[in-house]
Amino acid sequence: MKSDGEIARAARLKPIAEVAARLGLGPDDLDPYGRHIAKIEDEALARAGAAERGKLVLVTAINPTPAGEGKTTTTIGLGDALNRIGRKAVICLREPSLGPCFGQKGGAAGGGYAQVVPMERINLHFTGDFHAISAAHNLVAAMVDNHLYWGNALDLDLRRITWRRVVDMNDRALRDVVLSLGGPKNGFPRQSGFDITVASEVMAAFCLAQDLADLEARLSRMVVGYRRDRSAVTVADLGAAGAMAALLRDAFRPNLVQTLEGNPALVHGGPFANIAHGCNSVAATRAALGFGDIVVTEAGFGADLGAEKFLDIKCRKAGLAPDCAVVVATVRALKMHGGVARSDLDRENLTALEAGLANLGRHVANLAKFGLPVIVAVNRFTSDTAAEFALVRDVCRERFGVEAVSCSHWADGSAGAVGLAEAVSAVLDENRPSAFRTLYPDEMPLADKVATVAREIYGAGEVIWDERARADLVQFEAAGFGRLPVCIAKTQYSFSANPALTGAPSGHALPVREVRLSAGAGFVVVLCGEINTMPGLPRHPAAEHIGVDAAGQIVGLS
Amino acid sequence: MKSDGEIARAARLKPIAEVAARLGLGPDDLDPYGRHIAKIEDEALARAGAAERGKLVLVTAINPTPAGEGKTTTTIGLGDALNRIGRKAVICLREPSLGPCFGQKGGAAGGGYAQVVPMERINLHFTGDFHAISAAHNLVAAMVDNHLYWGNALDLDLRRITWRRVVDMNDRALRDVVLSLGGPKNGFPRQSGFDITVASEVMAAFCLAQDLADLEARLSRMVVGYRRDRSAVTVADLGAAGAMAALLRDAFRPNLVQTLEGNPALVHGGPFANIAHGCNSVAATRAALGFGDIVVTEAGFGADLGAEKFLDIKCRKAGLAPDCAVVVATVRALKMHGGVARSDLDRENLTALEAGLANLGRHVANLAKFGLPVIVAVNRFTSDTAAEFALVRDVCRERFGVEAVSCSHWADGSAGAVGLAEAVSAVLDENRPSAFRTLYPDEMPLADKVATVAREIYGAGEVIWDERARADLVQFEAAGFGRLPVCIAKTQYSFSANPALTGAPSGHALPVREVRLSAGAGFVVVLCGEINTMPGLPRHPAAEHIGVDAAGQIVGLS
């Protein structure tokens, strides 16, 4: 099997205008970035917004394991297969973050024969959206310290400045720094730090904004710190929102690329799925719903984090009503949830598989609580046995009441996901009015929202509150933020806050350590356990093997 | 008079393919970034490199004053005027830095009716080149601290790490920071800091590299720090050069834009003119010489810094031989050099003007030392009187032996620089073999190179060496770097190291505080006085007035 990079480089890409034409977009609707990438112009976006008619399919997954699930490849494979069977499908994905490409995980543009291309550009600078977000974020930071330097007229408490800086790089040395050393000409020393760009609140607001005006309003509301009396100082107080909007103007338009099979994909925005909501921009999803008959999109991590936030934050706020959910699982990952060690995954183990299916079952049941029809996609590996798949299919059908479809898009492209596409089409063609509902109403108190997600989605027995966190929630409600949804940040590896608890634990306690207001993004972040917002590099970073060959091709990026 | 932004927005831009066609470039030679910007593809660059036939004109200036000289506008105006009189001229400029747009100075794409467009894109993210340079620089920084974290096999001395981080933002709080706080999981605490991106050695190497392979070789040689035995640790030792080259691959191709009059301009790279050499990329200049009959380019600050480095660093290393130099002056700035206060500049003052002309005279004489024919461009202001211009013209002709031409391109576009264009054409049409020579030979000892520039260009009486700096030079020579040119960083406001000494001081002492090896860029930086490599924001940053209007237009950027 060729590497992802080899497959991507061997691909014959269509001119992006040709891909766009299939969506009814003419040359004037495109702002090209090279021959194979384009941003979609505002007028075309407005047309799409007015038209919005497509069906929305969410691709989510069981809790991730080191065995890999292939959620992005399944999203792409399903999109390609829907096009293959004659549907006009558009794929919506998050943009990859630059930093992790040089660390362990490599790129994030799919894999095998289910990729979006041009892979190197998408994984590296792409259209510069993340650079623009970094610049907008860091402009505020510079203006905060500049404000202190020139006399602090807003009376910010030096110890309570919450706005940090960002960089799109895995750089653990920047997590915790002291700034403004070196004497009076450099300002007032204080402790702060850097997050990776995808953890910026600007990223989350960017992805949830309806239009540029809404984005600027969200930016304005962002809190940069507090005064001694605990009143908030915002981006608007600093006068930075307009300049941020100027920096983000071009970035805000969705990016059109293509799959290896030449089908359209919008790749735009990419917030973290723990301290943020983990899915592509509302702008892209909206545009896709206007241009396509079916939109296939994904949410970060497993369904407990990604799908819950997609539904309770993004769909709630953007007024989107998804029509179907696909839960991706693999036999290998299910066996890990059933207790099998990674080194033993190649062996058939029906007992462990059956135990591990509890994880899948919980996610399926959870999605039904949102009123969504569910299909299970079993992403096939060569080590899977017929008996293993049969067990998954039977348990899904008999115990979970859903169909499980085997797919091999990674190896076979769209041909490997035709069964899944047909199953999804069948659900959509029933044309049932969407029964989508959020898990909790806006008016529910914040603490009850957390308790609801903990109980209904995580299977937790109780929420254990840090006293300070509980008090902060009360303060947020008093300040008028009680109607916001909650964005729970916990480990992605388990329904619980303990990454070692695989399968489908229940009755556990969800410990809330801290809460943070993301007033611009429009949610309250609830931190359960340590959440790292600045990754580090491994002992041998992938960067050591990335380079440019004699022909000018980028190598080592996958 | 309209603002720069209003003029730029009112401009009817040609499709970039049409601008490119005038240079013999077809659609396949372009990688479009929007409709009005394109990068030039490698094959076309190779063709241009093989063809190289244009004449090279350097635009430089007297020492800058707060009155403004208009070097960039004159470069653009001259280019437009050369095209107007039927010459095939290509303009080469530096890319503007993002950070200063939000501070005091505004953008850097020319002004009035001598601008390159699209102004907002060029001033903000443009094609992402500076973002790519920041990322490449910061990847090394992350890999340095990651290397320490994982055991420091290269034995770097934590106290002698010279590689800092960069951000394209005016952020004084980052000048001096302590990193890696917060305990063992965040690494080993140490003091470091951030420079603005244009001060990165990656930027300088990027602008001096002949091709991508040369760039990677230069990146490899860059020193990140020293061991206890003072031996150097390089980017190659870290294994980062390939990944950096991958990050810079697309950025390395020159950017084609147009002037307000639709003439071609290559805008590419932009190193500082103090700790680096201050002119656009060799790649762009080379390409322009292949595509055009005349290439008009500029160098940073006054001729003592910008032109000297353009000639002694860029032309020496790239094998370029300029054919003519244009020195830009204004009556107002010359009066300031003659001792007039800014508030009195509107009044005719022939005595002060005559005194201030000494500054111009020194620059003219200096350029003759490089074997270059010189023309003086007097960039006209409405307050200038006929008697003032007559004095400049007469002194130039009689005492300096050069012609001074009055120009009004800022108000009138190319029509205002026809005289200058004709004067330049006349010089070029003499077709004299270039008499260009560098000021000192490669084999001259480093300290003597500094002394030569100090004596011949600055008019200094002596160089006062910091003892440590002198010892470091000896060490650089022992390590094999003795043949590098020197890059002197001093104030731009005076021939001396004292910004208050305007006019043409002589006999002063040049104090060398520190020397630094830029092994990848390929020069030795000689620091004379405090050089700030991270600007701050003013009390009221321009950012407060930048925004996006209801029509989606960026406003407040000029």
Side-chain angles (χ1 to χ4, degrees), chain B residues 284-323:
Chain B
T285 305
R286 276 265 153 87
L289 288 169
F291 297 133
D293 295 332
I294 303 176
V295 175
V296 185
T297 189
E298 66 162 348
F301 296 146
D304 53 328
L305 286 172
E308 191 273 319
K309 292 172 187 185
F310 174 81
L311 299 166
D312 272 330
I313 298 176
K314 178 175 171 175
C315 290
R316 176 196 303 262
K317 290 300 172 184
L320 299 169
D323 298 279

Side-chain angles (χ1 to χ4, degrees), chain A residues 4 35 48 377 395:
Chain A
D4 293 350
R35 285 189 238 313
V395 169

Side-chain angles (χ1 to χ4, degrees), chain A residues 275-341:
Chain A
I275 53 96
H277 62 291
C279 33
N280 67 262
S281 74
V282 166
T285 304
R286 276 264 154 87
L289 288 169
F291 298 134
D293 296 331
I294 303 176
V295 175
V296 186
T297 190
E298 65 162 348
F301 295 146
D304 53 329
L305 286 173
E308 191 272 320
K309 292 172 186 186
F310 174 82
L311 299 166
D312 273 330
I313 298 176
K314 177 174 171 175
C315 291
R316 175 196 303 263
K317 291 301 172 183
L320 298 169
D323 299 281
C324 176
V326 172
V327 183
V328 181
T330 64
V331 165
R332 294 164 70 86
L334 290 169
K335 285 193 284 191
M336 285 196 88
H337 276 293
V340 174

Side-chain angles (χ1 to χ4, degrees), chain B residues 118-442:
Chain B
M119 183 268 255
E120 289 94 349
R121 278 214 179 177
I122 294 172
N123 273 317
L124 296 181
H125 310 292
F126 202 22
T127 54
D129 295 344
F130 285 17
H131 291 314
I133 287 167
S134 299
H137 186 114
N138 291 336
L139 174 63
V140 176
M143 287 175 79
V144 165
D145 282 292
N146 190 57
H147 183 82
L148 301 177
Y149 179 86
W150 288 104
N152 194 13
L154 290 169
D155 205 23
L156 267 163
D157 184 342
L158 216 71
R159 305 161 306 174
R160 292 198 172 87
I161 294 170
T162 49
W163 195 264
R164 291 157 57 91
R165 285 167 175 80
V166 297
V167 64
D168 196 359
M169 199 53 71
N170 289 18
D171 193 350
R172 69 170 69 75
L174 294 175
R175 286 174 187 157
D176 194 344
V177 305
V178 171
L179 305 168
S180 302
L181 297 170
K185 71 183 188 313
N186 294 351
F188 294 87
R190 64 184 187 86
Q191 198 157 5
S192 187
F194 287 68
D195 299 316
I196 193 163
T197 300
V198 292
S200 164
E201 189 184 348
V202 178
M203 175 70 85
F206 178 95
C207 288
L208 288 168
Q210 304 277 355
D211 52 36
L212 209 53
D214 181 36
L215 175 59
E216 186 166 337
R218 287 169 182 269
L219 298 172
S220 299
R221 288 197 291 270
M222 290 182 181
V223 174
V224 300
Y226 297 89
R227 299 183 183 86
R228 276 179 170 257
D229 66 7
R230 308 293 166 92
S231 61
V233 175
T234 65
V235 164
D237 295 330
L238 283 173
M244 292 175 83
L247 280 166
L248 296 169
R249 186 194 61 169
D250 291 337
F252 191 68
R253 293 168 303 156
N255 306 300
L256 177 67
V257 294
Q258 63 192 288
T259 66
L260 286 174
E261 302 192 8
N263 294 311
L266 295 180
V267 179
H268 195 225
F272 253 22
N274 43 42
I275 53 98
H277 61 292
C279 33
N280 67 262
S281 74
V282 166
T285 305
R286 276 265 153 87
L289 288 169
F291 297 133
D293 295 332
I294 303 176
V295 175
V296 185
T297 189
E298 66 162 348
F301 296 146
D304 53 328
L305 286 172
E308 191 273 319
K309 292 172 187 185
F310 174 81
L311 299 166
D312 272 330
I313 298 176
K314 178 175 171 175
C315 290
R316 176 196 303 262
K317 290 300 172 184
L320 299 169
D323 298 279
C324 176
V326 173
V327 183
V328 181
T330 63
V331 165
R332 295 164 68 86
L334 289 169
K335 285 193 283 192
M336 285 197 88
H337 276 292
V340 174
R342 198 175 176 181
S343 53
D344 292 333
L345 287 177
D346 284 347
R347 252 177 296 168
E348 182 178 277
N349 187 334
L350 297 172
T351 316
L353 179 59
E354 184 160 3
L357 275 162
N359 186 273
L360 174 61
R362 170 83 60 81
H363 288 297
V364 169
N366 285 348
L367 287 161
K369 294 178 182 175
F370 292 94
L372 295 184
V374 173
I375 292 164
V376 171
V378 183
N379 191 11
R380 202 155 71 207
F381 276 69
T382 47
S383 60
D384 299 355
T385 68
E388 285 177 327
F389 175 70
L391 177 64
V392 174
R393 186 195 54 209
D394 294 347
V395 169
C396 280
R397 191 174 292 163
E398 289 154 25
R399 275 191 247 155
F400 308 155
V402 295
E403 289 303 306
V405 186
S406 176
C407 333
S408 61
H409 42 272
W410 187 83
D412 302 322
S414 63
V418 164
L420 179 63
E422 283 168 347
V424 168
S425 288
V427 168
L428 299 180
D429 289 348
E430 291 173 19
N431 268 315
R432 281 181 294 194
S434 175
F436 169 65
R437 54 185 178 272
T438 55
L439 197 67
Y440 52 79
D442 289 350

Side-chain angles (χ1 to χ4, degrees), chain A residues 146-408:
Chain A
N146 189 58
H147 183 82
L148 301 177
Y149 179 86
W150 289 103
N152 195 13
L154 289 169
D155 205 23
L156 267 163
D157 184 343
L158 218 72
R159 305 161 305 173
R160 292 198 172 86
I161 294 170
T162 49
W163 195 265
R164 292 157 55 92
R165 285 169 174 79
V166 298
V167 63
D168 197 359
M169 200 54 71
N170 289 17
D171 193 350
R172 69 170 70 74
L174 294 175
R175 286 174 186 157
D176 194 344
V177 305
V178 171
L179 305 167
S180 301
L181 296 170
K185 70 182 192 308
N186 294 351
F188 295 87
R190 63 184 187 86
Q191 197 156 6
S192 186
F194 286 68
D195 299 315
I196 192 162
T197 299
V198 293
S200 164
E201 190 185 346
V202 178
M203 175 70 84
F206 178 96
C207 289
L208 288 169
Q210 303 279 352
D211 52 37
L212 209 53
D214 181 36
L215 175 59
E216 186 167 338
R218 288 169 181 271
L219 298 171
S220 299
R221 289 196 291 270
M222 289 182 182
V223 174
V224 300
Y226 298 88
R227 300 184 182 85
R228 275 178 172 259
D229 66 6
R230 307 297 165 91
S231 61
V233 174
T234 65
V235 165
D237 295 329
L238 283 172
M244 292 175 82
L247 280 166
L248 296 170
R249 185 194 61 169
D250 291 336
F252 191 68
R253 293 168 303 158
N255 306 301
L256 177 67
V257 295
Q258 63 191 289
T259 66
L260 287 174
E261 303 192 8
N263 294 310
L266 295 179
V267 179
H268 195 227
F272 252 23
N274 42 44
I275 53 96
H277 62 291
C279 33
N280 67 262
S281 74
V282 166
T285 304
R286 276 264 154 87
L289 288 169
F291 298 134
D293 296 331
I294 303 176
V295 175
V296 186
T297 190
E298 65 162 348
F301 295 146
D304 53 329
L305 286 173
E308 191 272 320
K309 292 172 186 186
F310 174 82
L311 299 166
D312 273 330
I313 298 176
K314 177 174 171 175
C315 291
R316 175 196 303 263
K317 291 301 172 183
L320 298 169
D323 299 281
C324 176
V326 172
V327 183
V328 181
T330 64
V331 165
R332 294 164 70 86
L334 290 169
K335 285 193 284 191
M336 285 196 88
H337 276 293
V340 174
R342 196 173 176 181
S343 52
D344 291 333
L345 287 176
D346 285 346
R347 252 177 294 168
E348 182 177 277
N349 186 335
L350 297 173
T351 317
L353 179 59
E354 184 160 2
L357 275 163
N359 186 273
L360 175 61
R362 170 83 61 81
H363 289 297
V364 169
N366 285 349
L367 288 161
K369 295 178 182 175
F370 292 93
L372 295 184
V374 173
I375 291 164
V376 170
V378 183
N379 191 11
R380 202 155 71 208
F381 277 68
T382 47
S383 60
D384 299 354
T385 68
E388 285 175 326
F389 175 71
L391 178 63
V392 174
R393 186 195 54 209
D394 294 348
V395 169
C396 280
R397 191 173 294 163
E398 290 155 25
R399 275 191 247 155
F400 308 154
V402 295
E403 288 304 304
V405 186
S406 177
C407 332
S408 60

